[in-house]
Amino acid sequence: MDPNVPRRKPVPTQRDYDEAWAKDLREQFEQLLRTRRLNDLSDRSRSRSGSPAPADRSSSSSAALSTRSSSVCKPSRSSSQHPPRPSGSGDDGRTPSRTASNATLPPSYSSLRNLPKIPTAPQDSQSMKFRNLLISLSMTPTKYENPGLLDEALSVIPLDRIYGEAEEESQVLQAQAESMGDGRQAEWGYQDCVIRALLRWFKRTFFTWVNNPPCPNCFSPTIGQGMTPPTPDEAARGAARVELYRCSATDCGAYERFPRYSDVWALLQARRGRCGEWANCFSMLCRAVGGRVRWVWNSEDHVWTEVYSEQQRRWIHVDACEEAWDNPRLYGEGWNKKMAYCIAFSIDGATDVTRRYVRNAGTHGLDRVKAPEEVLLWIVDEIRKMRRESLSKDERRRLIKEDEREERELRGYVAQAIAADVTSMLPGSPASAQGRPSSAGGDDQKVPEAGVAGRQSGSPEWVRARGEGGQGSPHEGH
């Protein structure tokens, strides 16, 4: 017989088609499918990290050809004992260094976008310190529920004036809505107008901003002398620190103390302070006239208020120092202030509202390094559980729905910021022409007025030192 003529494969007989043969064929077929699937996944990984080298392509092609040629032959039991390795594997069964480097690449966005953050209890000392701080701060709005304090607050508010202005504004807003003829509601409800009237009175009439307090004897300007320990009476009224000033007049030289009170009753008597005293006292007065109130703490040394609008079913930003209403972009785009954390505290719990005030984290955000995000979620949940444990099931359910609605709102701000950035990159867009991000719409998408440069409350030197003077103002610290 001519040895160059290939032998013809023996025709299998009926006896060869037994159960063992069928099982072996099925196992090889399943292994072939697994190998093909693994090759597809490897190709996709290479397509994300770059095109494979020519040697890799040839090895893949030869492996594929050998697999196809073996599939047309009669299967053998030994092949099922040793499944084929994926293309690109070394002789020792380990993948080459190039494949190992691909394994260290971060996964694609599509594999991460739906992964939720799981609340995690704080473990390290820094996270525990942050937890203790937030729990301590969460006690502030609980003081607003004191019945005696509420009565004291109502006694200093000119209720007839406040309610009269609110009724007048409410009627004007209602008439404007009806004049549109499309059945729309008024922008703000009556309770919102009450808070707006209270804000105007508080800023213009009731409370006074303190830079350096005047001399108590001759009313001359004073010069700061640093901090001094509080007296027992000052400490009893919540003054953990006291600033000391000396009269600038050479023939006087009297000293004036400025206690930084945290007790609202003391603030109702003193009626002066800076942003901490302003926000604390104003939040209490909002609660006294029936508003749902949040006290918002910022890690970069500022505080303000949020009130809930039943008309718009969302929390409204209110800053008594600036007489600002529903302008959450004031700090980032108005003051040019960079912020890391904005946490809102109420009698019902706590919420991380940073996304409401930091619309562009790259421009106006700071690194959040006090604790991992999962730990912050755990702390917020812990405070909510503490505040809501005595509520009824229906009340807790209502608050959960409210939390979910607010979370959708905060996520929307992130989407709007991304859309604004993309739009500003397009040639000929209004945003790119003006050199500023465009608004993505929405009721609270206010941008500070062009003529308003930076913070209005406080002396110019103090504002500059805090880096809150607006565009072009240096950030010299807080």
Side-chain angles (χ1 to χ4, degrees), residues 221-275:
T222 59
I223 301 174
Q225 304 295 305
M227 308 299 293
T228 187
T231 65
D233 179 68
E234 291 168 341
R237 291 189 285 173
R241 54 198 177 100
V242 178
E243 299 175 4
L244 185 64
Y245 295 86
R246 185 177 181 179
C247 180
S248 59
T250 56
D251 57 344
C252 180
Y255 286 90
E256 171 68 352
R257 301 171 67 88
F258 178 36
R260 304 302 302 274
Y261 291 123
S262 61
D263 181 74
V264 183
W265 187 88
L267 293 176
L268 291 174
Q269 313 306 315
R271 303 185 183 185
R272 68 174 189 171
R274 300 197 189 106
C275 52

Side-chain angles (χ1 to χ4, degrees), residues 54-82:
D56 297 326
R57 286 183 184 149
S58 61
S59 62
S60 300
S61 302
S62 60
L65 288 173
S66 62
T67 304
R68 292 194 192 98
S69 62
S70 62
S71 64
V72 298
C73 300
K74 181 178 178 179
S76 62
R77 296 176 188 266
S78 60
S79 61
S80 63
Q81 303 289 337
H82 303 282

Side-chain angles (χ1 to χ4, degrees), residues 94 112 129 147 166 204-205 224 229 251 253 255 269 291 296 299 310 328 350 393 402 407 415 430 440 467:
R94 293 177 303 210
L112 289 176
K129 182 179 179 180
R204 303 174 188 181
T205 306
D251 57 344
Y255 286 90
Q269 313 306 315
V296 185
S299 55
E310 296 290 348
K393 184 181 295 185
E402 188 177 286
E407 178 62 24

Side-chain angles (χ1 to χ4, degrees), residues 239-445:
R241 54 198 177 100
V242 178
E243 299 175 4
L244 185 64
Y245 295 86
R246 185 177 181 179
C247 180
S248 59
T250 56
D251 57 344
C252 180
Y255 286 90
E256 171 68 352
R257 301 171 67 88
F258 178 36
R260 304 302 302 274
Y261 291 123
S262 61
D263 181 74
V264 183
W265 187 88
L267 293 176
L268 291 174
Q269 313 306 315
R271 303 185 183 185
R272 68 174 189 171
R274 300 197 189 106
C275 52
E277 292 87 353
W278 279 65
N280 197 7
C281 189
F282 179 73
S283 299
M284 174 65 208
L285 297 180
C286 290
R287 188 73 189 101
V289 297
R292 291 181 58 196
V293 178
R294 278 176 171 175
W295 178 78
V296 185
W297 168 83
N298 166 237
S299 55
E300 285 64 51
D301 194 24
H302 191 49
V303 285
W304 58 88
T305 307
E306 286 184 349
V307 294
Y308 190 78
S309 170
E310 296 290 348
Q311 186 81 354
Q312 297 207 10
R313 301 181 70 196
R314 63 182 176 90
W315 289 94
I316 307 299
H317 159 254
V318 188
D319 193 324
C321 302
E322 305 291 289
E323 199 178 327
W325 171 269
D326 193 25
N327 193 0
R329 296 166 67 178
L330 170 69
Y331 310 115
E333 298 181 27
W335 297 4
N336 198 29
K337 184 179 179 71
K338 294 180 180 293
M339 300 184 290
Y341 296 93
C342 301
I343 312 295
F345 300 98
S346 72
I347 190 60
D348 299 320
T351 304
D352 181 6
V353 294
T354 308
R355 288 170 289 178
R356 178 175 291 132
Y357 299 96
V358 181
R359 299 299 176 88
N360 190 325
T363 305
H364 302 122
L366 293 175
D367 293 338
R368 293 160 61 98
V369 296
K370 293 183 179 295
E373 295 300 315
E374 294 82 0
V375 171
L376 179 57
L377 288 175
W378 190 90
I379 299 172
V380 168
D381 288 345
E382 182 185 18
I383 296 175
R384 286 179 178 176
K385 290 176 182 177
M386 287 191 298
R387 297 287 174 262
R388 301 177 184 183
E389 60 182 358
S390 61
L391 299 179
S392 65
K393 184 181 295 185
D394 291 340
E395 187 69 11
R396 288 198 298 268
R397 186 181 299 112
R398 181 187 66 81
L399 291 174
I400 290 175
K401 291 182 178 179
E402 188 177 286
D403 294 338
E404 293 172 348
R405 184 165 59 246
E406 183 175 26
E407 178 62 24
R408 290 192 295 270
E409 174 194 344
L410 297 176
R411 289 178 180 175
Y413 296 146
V414 178
Q416 290 168 355
I418 295 173
D421 286 343
V422 172
T423 302
S424 65
M425 297 176 188
L426 300 177
S429 65
S432 60
Q434 297 175 5
R436 63 176 298 171
S438 63
S439 172
D443 294 333
D444 70 330
Q445 297 290 317

Side-chain angles (χ1 to χ4, degrees), residues 153 155-159 161-162 165 195-207 268 271 278 281-282 285 323:
S155 68
V156 302
I157 301 175
L159 294 176
R161 169 184 169 180
I162 298 299
E165 291 182 8
I195 303 296
R196 287 161 62 90
L198 183 69
L199 174 64
R200 292 190 294 268
W201 166 79
F202 187 87
K203 167 71 174 179
R204 303 174 188 181
T205 306
F206 183 71
F207 225 70
L268 291 174
R271 303 185 183 185
W278 279 65
C281 189
F282 179 73
L285 297 180
E323 199 178 327

